[in-house]
Amino acid sequence: MKNKLPIFCRLLDQLVARGLLMGLAVWLFSASSFAAGPGSQAAPGSSPLQVLQNSVKNWVAQSGHVSADQVVLAPLDARVKVRACERPLAMDVPFSNAQTIRVRCTQPVWQQFVQVNVAVKASEPQSQSKPDKTAEPAKRWVLVASVPLQRGMTLNETHVQRAQVDSTSMPVNVLEQASEVMHAEVVRDVRPGVPLRSHDIRPTVLVKRGQMVLMSVGQPQGFQISARVEAMQDGRFGEQIKLKNRDSGRELSGRVQGPNQVVGL
């Protein structure tokens, strides 16, 4: 009996050691599997501008039930520097013009307006038969220049008119309503009768740095306060700019609403 006891102890020690080794192996395998999971493969870093553009394309594609490849973004002003956002970007359509998308960040707080257009994919021919030359081409109501438009000109409703034109060779980003050119300026010369595209115009500077502007806070139909403040930077329609109260020296923020008019934020 005395000889059997040491043998039993050695066997028990071996079983315990093997169990610990197996547990260690299982733990190491699990840890390595976890470390090699999808979360460890970081995607290459994108610039804040690329993040903004991709977010807008995906949002417009989901809202309009189209492919992201069909969403065309107008280039931003070269002076605009897009900052990184620590939270998911929020988007909406604040104006009657559905082509203007507002992108907002809550941390840090900023917003940017982006002009978008959705390209219409051409349908594939259903047959190899020759087209009917007697059929009239499809027409579309679009906005065309009624007078020669020169670069830098500030537009109004008298400079444009709606006209029916052949849609077979129509660009995808053509404007359709006169309201789309309000508070806008021409960025390239356009001949009379030529359809206007979103890339032909941009929001005009309605507030200039150093000018005194009228800032309104509240609802027009209800309680509203107005005050004269100084613009600390130039601003186009819909842009957020910095303001300063000369009496108190306090800095404020407002969104450009019209010529020398801002809405307090």
Side-chain angles (χ1 to χ4, degrees):
M1 184 68 180
K2 293 181 179 180
N3 295 333
K4 294 180 179 181
L5 184 59
I7 295 175
F8 174 77
C9 292
R10 287 198 298 272
L11 291 175
L12 181 61
D13 292 341
Q14 292 177 0
L15 291 175
V16 171
R18 289 180 181 178
L20 292 175
L21 289 175
M22 290 180 64
L24 179 60
V26 171
W27 180 82
L28 290 174
F29 176 78
S30 301
S32 61
S33 300
F34 176 78
S40 64
Q41 301 295 331
S46 300
S47 66
L49 176 60
Q50 292 173 329
V51 172
L52 181 144
Q53 292 174 332
N54 292 336
S55 299
V56 172
K57 283 189 175 183
N58 293 333
W59 185 82
V60 174
Q62 294 178 2
S63 302
H65 303 288
V66 297
S67 171
D69 297 336
Q70 296 177 247
V71 181
V72 181
L73 306 184
L76 296 179
D77 193 318
R79 296 172 297 176
V80 175
K81 302 298 181 182
V82 179
R83 293 182 291 169
C85 186
E86 300 178 7
R87 302 287 179 84
L89 296 174
M91 276 150 282
D92 63 351
V93 181
F95 311 123
S96 58
N97 177 10
Q99 293 179 323
T100 302
I101 307 300
R102 176 171 58 184
V103 185
R104 291 184 290 177
C105 175
T106 57
Q107 188 175 354
V109 178
W110 58 262
Q111 68 178 6
Q112 179 64 46
F113 292 85
V114 181
Q115 296 290 326
V116 303
N117 287 281
V118 178
V120 180
K121 291 185 176 181
S123 58
E124 297 181 357
Q126 298 180 354
S127 64
Q128 299 298 328
S129 60
K130 295 182 179 179
D132 185 4
K133 296 183 179 181
T134 60
E136 294 184 359
K139 297 288 187 178
R140 177 181 170 187
W141 284 99
V142 298
L143 208 63
V144 301
S146 59
V147 296
L149 303 182
Q150 298 179 348
R151 181 179 179 181
M153 178 186 295
T154 301
L155 297 178
N156 56 48
E157 295 181 350
T158 64
H159 298 137
V160 296
Q161 64 183 9
R162 298 190 72 212
Q164 276 191 323
V165 297
D166 185 1
S167 62
T168 55
S169 58
M170 183 66 55
V172 297
N173 54 350
V174 174
L175 305 180
E176 297 181 347
Q177 302 294 332
S179 58
E180 298 179 74
V181 302
M182 298 302 296
H183 305 301
E185 66 180 35
V186 184
V187 298
R188 57 179 60 86
D189 295 346
V190 181
R191 299 190 307 273
V194 175
L196 278 175
R197 302 167 300 170
S198 60
H199 295 174
D200 295 331
I201 63 174
R202 68 179 178 184
T204 187
V205 176
L206 299 176
V207 173
K208 293 185 177 181
R209 180 180 179 182
Q211 287 184 335
M212 297 300 293
V213 299
L214 181 65
M215 183 183 72
S216 301
V217 179
Q219 299 297 327
Q221 296 80 9
F223 183 75
Q224 187 178 48
I225 299 177
S226 299
R228 305 290 294 184
V229 295
E230 180 184 355
M232 304 297 292
Q233 57 188 133
D234 294 346
R236 303 178 186 274
F237 183 76
E239 289 183 343
Q240 179 178 332
I241 62 173
K242 293 181 180 180
L243 309 164
K244 182 178 181 180
N245 187 325
R246 287 184 175 179
D247 295 334
S248 63
R250 180 184 176 187
E251 292 190 358
L252 309 166
S253 295
R255 179 168 53 83
V256 179
Q257 185 75 8
N260 295 327
Q261 295 180 357
V262 297
V263 176
L265 300 178

